[in-house]
Amino acid sequence: MTRMLLTKTVKLAPLALAVMLASQSLLAQQEHTQQDVPADTQAMAEYAALDQAGSSSRQLPSLPELFARALENDAELSRQRYELEATREEIPMARSQLLPQISATGGYLWQDSTNIQTSPDDFGLDQQATRPGEIEENYWQLQLQQPLFSLERWRGMDVADAQVSAAELELAVVEQDLALQVAEAYVQAYLAAQRLGLLESQQESLELQVRQASRAFDLGVGNRVDLLEAQSRFDQAISDAVEAENELDNALSELERLTGITPRFRDVATLGELANLALKSDFGRQEEWLARTGQNLNVLLAQGEQQITQADTSTRRAGYYPEVNLNLSYSDRVSDDELRESEDYRASVEVSVPIYRGGYTNASVRQGEKRIEAGQAAVDNEHNLAVQEVRTRLRSLNGGVRRLEALTQAIESSQLFLDAAERGEQLGLRDLVDVLDARASLYDQRIQYVDVVGEYALDRLALKTAVGELSSNDLADIMALLSSMLDSENTPNMAAG
């Protein structure tokens, strides 16, 4: 893979090469035992290709669109949605306990009885049976019960409402976590792709360096140490590229699990001018961020769960109060025994007063009160975690900005040093090891720069998450930030799903 970004760090300047060739003489060969030979036609063509290769890169995948796909594909999110729908049924279930309860029963009875009324002869009585011994009958009953007063059932509505609110917050937390997972995998894939591109470019330049060192050694104007050093650096670059490729595959696999598709990062544009990167360095006062931690979704969820506990404890306390119910019923019984036939209408008002249940109500209330205290501790813990997260992310963001500023200066210095080392090596003032060290330092700093940008991007998302303000616009901003590092010739696809 050829990269436009780093060609200036690997190619021999034609002007410097001409000066080197013009200054070579027998005396120079005697004074300098380590001298490179002119590059052959193939090597120079490959060097030129590094500088002239056009960019045919694919556009950067859309992070908002990937998140939209994840919302439709993620199995955990689907499970949570079904859980929410199931929890919402708690409200009509609780309401039903306040509405009339109507039931109907019916049955068929066959009975064969032997007693003084059905078989008086068996009891020594000389008289006729007054009731049949074998009978069949059908019966049915319709009953209605309407609670007139039940504090426990009324408070059950509050419990159901609190459960639904908590379930909605749980869904919001799962969606937020999914957004962070997609963003993290996206950033990791982006960073791995850029590291792979840098390492492959370094590998190409080192391969040309190995050829030059080998040719110089074969011609007797180079030494074996330079050749072995160049080969060692080349082999290490291959190893590092393999590791970066594995990291990219892992990140893409995670994105596929979350979104159901495998986005393309291998062919995205190479890094462009680092000066094009626009970083936000002013994040406001820390106190303003801390004041917004009350909207952290985990804090709100802990508060919602505490509200469930409070409503449940209120329901338990309602166990001390009586219940009043209205009962209406109608029954009809048709039987072979006329004495068993009946048609009844009934209406009654029943008052049920709990007097003693073995201490169950008292223990239940005490249990609920302890759970309220536990819920408050959970709220405090989540709030403390949110506060610590804000502080940590703000420190990390401010430190990341300073690190990137320092790395920018270091990269510029390393580029100048590499140019000087190459010129010195061409003129015999420096050896090949100096050039390899300078090039390795430059590549390492560029890779560090990319990694720090990735950390900065994730820190921004985590900061918004800590105050419950993460949105799809933040994902678009992160994508724009990463896109600004790419070649300007490649405009990323910013369409959100």
Side-chain angles (χ1 to χ4, degrees):
M1 180 185 300
T2 59
R3 305 276 178 170
M4 294 179 60
L5 171 64
L6 298 165
T7 52
K8 294 183 179 180
T9 67
V10 297
K11 71 174 184 177
L12 293 174
L15 179 59
L17 181 60
V19 173
M20 179 189 70
L21 294 176
S23 62
Q24 283 185 336
S25 63
L26 180 60
L27 179 60
Q29 293 179 10
Q30 292 175 351
E31 291 178 350
H32 304 287
T33 58
Q34 298 180 0
Q35 187 70 274
D36 278 351
V37 298
D40 57 19
T41 304
Q42 180 182 1
M44 291 303 297
E46 292 177 351
Y47 276 125
L50 290 176
D51 190 39
Q52 297 175 0
S55 174
S56 58
S57 308
R58 293 174 57 89
Q59 296 175 341
L60 189 64
S62 171
L63 178 54
E65 181 179 347
L66 290 175
F67 176 58
R69 288 181 175 271
L71 290 176
E72 300 175 357
N73 177 78
D74 186 66
E76 174 61 20
L77 183 59
S78 297
R79 184 196 69 80
Q80 193 61 46
R81 286 171 177 162
Y82 288 122
E83 287 288 345
L84 174 58
E85 294 302 319
T87 304
R88 282 179 174 152
E89 298 302 322
E90 293 288 341
I91 293 179
M93 289 169 60
R95 187 186 300 115
S96 69
Q97 300 302 307
L98 300 172
L99 300 177
Q101 309 294 309
I102 303 175
S103 62
T105 58
Y108 165 81
L109 172 67
W110 174 86
Q111 179 177 312
D112 187 359
S113 300
T114 302
N115 54 49
I116 195 172
Q117 293 178 326
T118 61
S119 300
D121 293 343
D122 294 342
F123 294 90
L125 299 177
D126 185 14
Q127 62 183 38
Q128 292 182 347
T130 59
R131 302 180 67 181
E134 181 179 342
I135 62 172
E136 293 184 8
E137 66 180 33
N138 298 300
Y139 65 91
W140 65 276
Q141 179 179 357
L142 184 65
Q143 185 173 7
L144 178 147
Q145 184 183 63
Q146 171 62 57
L148 299 180
F149 175 79
S150 177
L151 187 59
E152 183 176 1
R153 297 186 185 189
W154 274 106
R155 290 181 175 176
M157 287 289 297
D158 297 333
V159 175
D161 290 336
Q163 289 175 333
V164 172
S165 298
E168 291 173 346
L169 285 170
E170 287 180 1
L171 178 61
V173 169
V174 172
E175 290 180 348
Q176 174 184 268
D177 292 342
L178 178 61
L180 290 177
Q181 292 179 44
V182 173
E184 183 176 359
Y186 182 93
V187 171
Q188 292 301 328
Y190 174 88
L191 298 182
Q194 294 303 322
R195 284 196 294 268
L196 180 60
L198 288 170
L199 290 169
E200 287 179 344
S201 296
Q202 183 184 29
Q203 180 180 329
E204 292 173 355
S205 64
L206 287 174
E207 183 178 10
L208 296 178
Q209 199 75 57
V210 169
R211 292 181 186 176
Q212 287 294 96
S214 177
R215 186 165 178 266
F217 178 74
D218 293 340
L219 295 177
V221 294
N223 61 70
R224 185 171 180 80
V225 173
D226 286 348
L227 176 59
L228 293 176
E229 179 70 18
Q231 185 64 49
S232 174
R233 299 294 180 94
F234 175 70
D235 294 337
Q236 182 63 45
I238 294 177
S239 174
D240 293 341
V242 171
E243 181 180 0
E245 187 171 5
N246 289 338
E247 294 175 354
L248 176 58
D249 290 339
N250 291 336
L252 292 178
S253 178
E254 179 69 5
L255 282 174
E256 182 181 10
R257 181 186 71 83
L258 295 171
T259 65
I261 62 173
T262 304
R264 295 293 302 272
F265 279 89
R266 294 179 181 273
D267 301 328
V268 297
T270 58
L271 289 176
E273 292 295 332
L274 301 183
N276 296 334
L277 184 63
L279 293 178
K280 179 181 179 181
S281 57
D282 183 12
F283 299 98
R285 299 172 61 248
Q286 184 181 96
E287 291 74 13
E288 296 176 353
W289 287 96
L290 295 179
R292 290 145 61 186
T293 53
Q295 298 303 311
N296 179 284
L297 290 184
N298 288 318
V299 174
L300 295 177
L301 178 57
Q303 292 175 346
E305 291 173 347
Q306 186 191 29
Q307 290 175 359
I308 294 176
T309 305
Q310 291 173 338
D312 179 68
T313 303
S314 296
T315 304
R316 295 172 187 235
R317 292 194 183 100
Y320 293 118
Y321 294 84
E323 288 191 0
V324 181
N325 296 311
L326 170 66
N327 297 318
L328 302 175
S329 66
Y330 168 79
S331 62
D332 184 24
R333 184 182 296 269
V334 179
S335 175
D336 293 338
D337 186 352
E338 295 180 353
L339 296 178
R340 290 175 59 91
E341 288 190 351
S342 65
E343 183 178 8
D344 299 324
Y345 296 88
R346 292 182 182 181
S348 65
V349 175
E350 295 181 350
V351 179
S352 175
V353 180
I355 297 177
Y356 181 68
R357 300 178 61 189
Y360 174 84
T361 303
N362 290 335
S364 177
V365 171
R366 289 196 302 270
Q367 183 186 61
E369 291 173 346
K370 294 301 180 183
R371 287 179 175 171
I372 290 176
E373 295 177 0
Q376 182 58 50
V379 172
D380 294 340
N381 180 61
E382 291 296 340
H383 185 264
N384 292 336
L385 291 175
V387 168
Q388 181 63 24
E389 181 73 359
V390 166
R391 291 172 175 168
T392 300
R393 296 301 177 176
L394 284 175
R395 284 195 296 266
S396 182
L397 284 168
N398 291 324
V401 172
R402 292 194 299 269
R403 287 181 63 191
L404 290 173
E405 291 174 351
L407 281 171
T408 300
Q409 296 297 325
I411 289 172
E412 293 178 359
S413 300
S414 294
Q415 181 66 65
L416 294 175
F417 177 69
L418 175 59
D419 294 341
E422 287 179 340
R423 293 188 182 94
E425 191 252 348
Q426 295 164 10
L427 297 173
L429 302 177
R430 290 185 177 273
D431 56 21
L432 181 60
V433 175
D434 294 331
V435 176
L436 295 176
D437 287 340
R439 181 175 291 114
S441 177
L442 178 60
Y443 276 93
D444 289 343
Q445 289 168 355
R446 284 186 173 274
I447 291 175
Q448 289 181 38
Y449 190 95
V450 173
D451 290 340
V452 174
V453 171
E455 295 174 5
Y456 172 90
L458 294 178
D459 284 336
R460 283 181 56 175
L461 294 178
L463 179 62
K464 283 298 191 70
T465 301
V467 295
E469 297 178 0
L470 183 65
S471 66
S472 58
N473 291 334
D474 297 309
L475 300 181
D477 291 342
I478 293 304
M479 179 184 169
L481 172 66
L482 300 180
S483 300
S484 66
M485 298 176 61
L486 304 180
D487 277 339
S488 58
E489 297 178 3
N490 294 273
T491 302
N493 180 14
M494 297 296 294

